[in-house]
Amino acid sequence: LKEVAQAAKNVCGHVGTMGIALDAVTVPGSKHVNDRLDDDTTIEIGLGIHGEAGMRQSSMMNANDMAKELIHSIQTYGKTTENDKIVPMFAEGDELCVLINNLGGTSNFEMSILTNACVSHLESSNYKCTVTRVMVGSYMTSFNMHGASISILNLSSAPSELHVWLDADTDALSWSACDIWNVSGSSSRPSFTEVPEVVVNKGHASNKMELPKISIPGYECSSMVSDMIRSAAQALSEAEPMLTKYDTIVGDGDCGITMKRGATEILKRLEEEGSKDLDVTHPVPLFATMADAVSASMGGTSGVLLELMFRKMSTSLARSTDITPRAMYEAVQEGVDAVSLYGGATAGSRTMLDALIPYAQSLRDTQGDLVEAAQKAKEGADGTASMKTASAGRSNYLSEDTLSGTPDPGAIAVSIVAEAISK
């Protein structure tokens, strides 16, 4: 035990720790609620594990600024030498071990961002240190405190056996393994190396085959097609707050953001002069490149299904010898059928299909009356608000009380696009 105590004392003499939190903690059983950080715009620096007051409060910071604040405080607080002299905790060129501790209520995503910020700052020109060991996890928590603490151990000045102890295997359940790097002097941290983008040949298949003739009046005026796409994308982007509100109630809250990402990407490709990333000159490459744009920007199920729809529309038209208005309506129908097939839903399932199906059917029935089709899509979308159950999508496990009165955001997005195109 004396050896253990001495080892602990050696570590304490070469390590500095400081915490930061967005929310304080109330000790269970306490009649007093710790509400000093109830303001969503205020954080506290240096607070204790039990919620003790820190050295100061601050307005909200990003992860980089948090890292700078904590690292500067730890370094300047310093350590005491054998001669009782206080010196900085670490100096340029020192080898460090950094431990990022989750105080209880911080997501892994946030922890990773903070870890990256801390290591980057320590190895930057500001300090020029080498972080050879990184430890991230919930080592000592404070119930659900939304925050983290940073501990910096100076390995250059600490006893050499600390390296062995840090690197040793352990079966302790809550002790996250140490990430070891640069022990042999390699020059580039793997996690800092950006993975190069896989460059795909942008020449679409449609460029290598003879495209069908277009027999749609006015289509040769590509500006009309561009205007329709631009109008739809802008309308969808502007509707993001409303779609997010609906999806927060009946979904996972990301529908508005996902749709806006897709719309923004399509607009970006549309506005790039001379770009073939969104080819409006012919329906076959148009829908193929729209599928590419959706694939590159939209996540989640909706992104996958919309990509499938546009891809199916493109391949359907590519098989035609003459793209007539009727062929276009049939392609829309085939695209919607693909969404139904692979998404496992149909009309009445409380999904985007409640707007897509009547839209496609109306186009066929009216021979392309966009205004009438848009009205049918709107009626279908609005009708989802009165559906008591959902058989597909994120809403299928929600109660009738939760669903009642809120339309499906995916269906609403379809109706917004349909209305914008009709104008």
Side-chain angles (χ1 to χ4, degrees):
L1 286 178
K2 287 184 179 179
E3 292 180 11
V4 173
Q6 184 58 47
K9 184 177 180 181
N10 288 338
V11 171
C12 289
H14 298 275
V15 69
T17 300
M18 180 165 285
I20 193 166
L22 283 67
D23 294 307
V25 64
T26 297
V27 178
S30 173
K31 295 181 179 180
H32 172 70
V33 176
N34 192 341
D35 58 359
R36 70 174 186 271
L37 288 179
D38 273 359
D39 183 356
D40 290 339
T41 63
T42 304
I43 61 175
E44 190 157 307
I45 302 165
L47 75 173
I49 194 74
H50 302 106
E52 303 94 332
M55 63 181 189
R56 71 182 181 89
Q57 291 188 351
S58 167
S59 57
M60 184 62 68
M61 300 179 181
N62 61 36
N64 290 328
D65 290 337
M66 289 182 182
K68 292 176 182 178
E69 177 76 27
L70 296 176
I71 290 170
H72 176 73
S73 298
I74 291 171
Q75 194 218 21
T76 54
Y77 185 82
K79 60 183 178 181
T80 304
T81 66
E82 294 179 354
N83 300 324
D84 290 331
K85 182 180 179 182
I86 297 177
V87 298
M89 182 60 67
F90 52 86
E92 181 179 322
D94 280 348
E95 178 188 359
L96 307 177
C97 174
V98 176
L99 184 149
I100 313 293
N101 175 56
N102 190 338
L103 290 175
T106 309
S107 68
N108 290 337
F109 188 59
E110 292 170 306
M111 290 291 290
S112 296
I113 293 173
L114 182 60
T115 301
N116 180 70
C118 289
V119 174
S120 298
H121 191 54
L122 286 167
E123 294 188 335
S124 70
S125 58
N126 294 290
Y127 294 107
K128 298 181 181 178
C129 294
T130 301
V131 181
T132 61
R133 288 160 178 81
V134 178
M135 310 174 78
V136 183
S138 300
Y139 296 96
M140 179 175 286
T141 63
S142 184
F143 296 103
N144 64 337
M145 185 185 288
H146 190 182
S149 61
I150 299 175
S151 299
I152 302 176
L153 173 61
N154 191 332
L155 295 174
S156 293
S157 61
S160 59
E161 57 264 26
L162 282 185
H163 294 78
V164 178
W165 295 337
L166 287 170
D167 300 349
D169 293 331
T170 177
D171 56 5
L173 295 178
S174 297
W175 187 261
S176 299
C178 187
D179 179 32
I180 306 169
W181 172 80
N182 204 28
V183 175
S184 59
S186 59
S187 59
S188 177
R189 182 180 295 278
S191 59
F192 283 3
T193 303
E194 185 175 347
V195 178
E197 180 182 357
V198 177
V199 179
V200 180
N201 183 2
K202 295 186 177 181
H204 299 283
S206 58
N207 295 333
K208 302 175 183 178
M209 65 181 181
E210 186 176 348
L211 295 173
K213 181 179 68 172
I214 305 174
S215 298
I216 300 175
Y219 193 92
E220 62 275 5
C221 179
S222 59
S223 62
M224 177 190 71
V225 179
S226 298
D227 289 343
M228 294 172 73
I229 295 173
R230 186 178 295 106
S231 176
Q234 290 173 345
L236 200 55
S237 294
E238 292 169 2
E240 183 271 318
M242 177 181 66
L243 296 175
T244 297
K245 176 184 176 182
Y246 290 156
D247 200 41
T248 301
I249 299 172
V250 298
D252 54 6
D254 67 347
C255 179
I257 296 172
T258 300
M259 292 294 179
K260 184 176 181 179
R261 282 176 181 161
T264 301
E265 181 66 19
I266 287 173
L267 270 178
K268 174 187 172 185
R269 297 186 181 206
L270 181 66
E271 303 300 347
E272 290 179 354
E273 187 175 352
S275 172
K276 291 296 183 182
D277 286 343
L278 199 68
D279 191 343
V280 299
T281 60
H282 193 284
V284 172
L286 169 63
F287 292 123
T289 51
M290 286 187 71
D292 292 341
V294 167
S295 175
S297 59
M298 294 179 67
T301 305
S302 59
V304 173
L305 293 177
L306 289 174
E307 179 192 355
L308 284 171
M309 183 181 75
F310 289 131
R311 200 80 68 191
K312 182 64 176 179
M313 291 168 66
S314 177
T315 57
S316 174
L317 292 171
R319 291 194 301 267
S320 303
T321 55
D322 186 6
I323 299 180
T324 62
R326 180 176 180 80
M328 187 70 83
Y329 314 147
E330 294 293 341
V332 174
Q333 184 64 62
E334 288 192 33
V336 172
D337 290 343
V339 172
S340 179
L341 174 64
Y342 293 106
T346 186
S349 297
R350 211 179 198 282
T351 67
M352 68 171 72
L353 283 164
D354 287 296
L356 281 173
I357 289 176
Y359 180 76
Q361 185 63 49
S362 179
L363 283 179
R364 298 174 70 192
D365 293 344
T366 63
Q367 295 298 301
D369 188 331
L370 294 177
V371 175
E372 177 66 19
Q375 180 59 34
K376 293 298 182 183
K378 186 177 187 305
E379 291 173 2
D382 291 344
T384 59
S386 60
M387 293 181 183
K388 298 180 180 180
T389 59
S391 59
R394 297 284 187 183
S395 301
N396 66 353
Y397 57 85
L398 299 179
S399 67
E400 179 182 339
D401 290 340
T402 301
L403 295 174
S404 181
T406 302
D408 178 75
I412 292 295
V414 171
S415 70
I416 290 170
V417 170
E419 182 181 5
I421 290 176
S422 71
K423 294 179 179 179

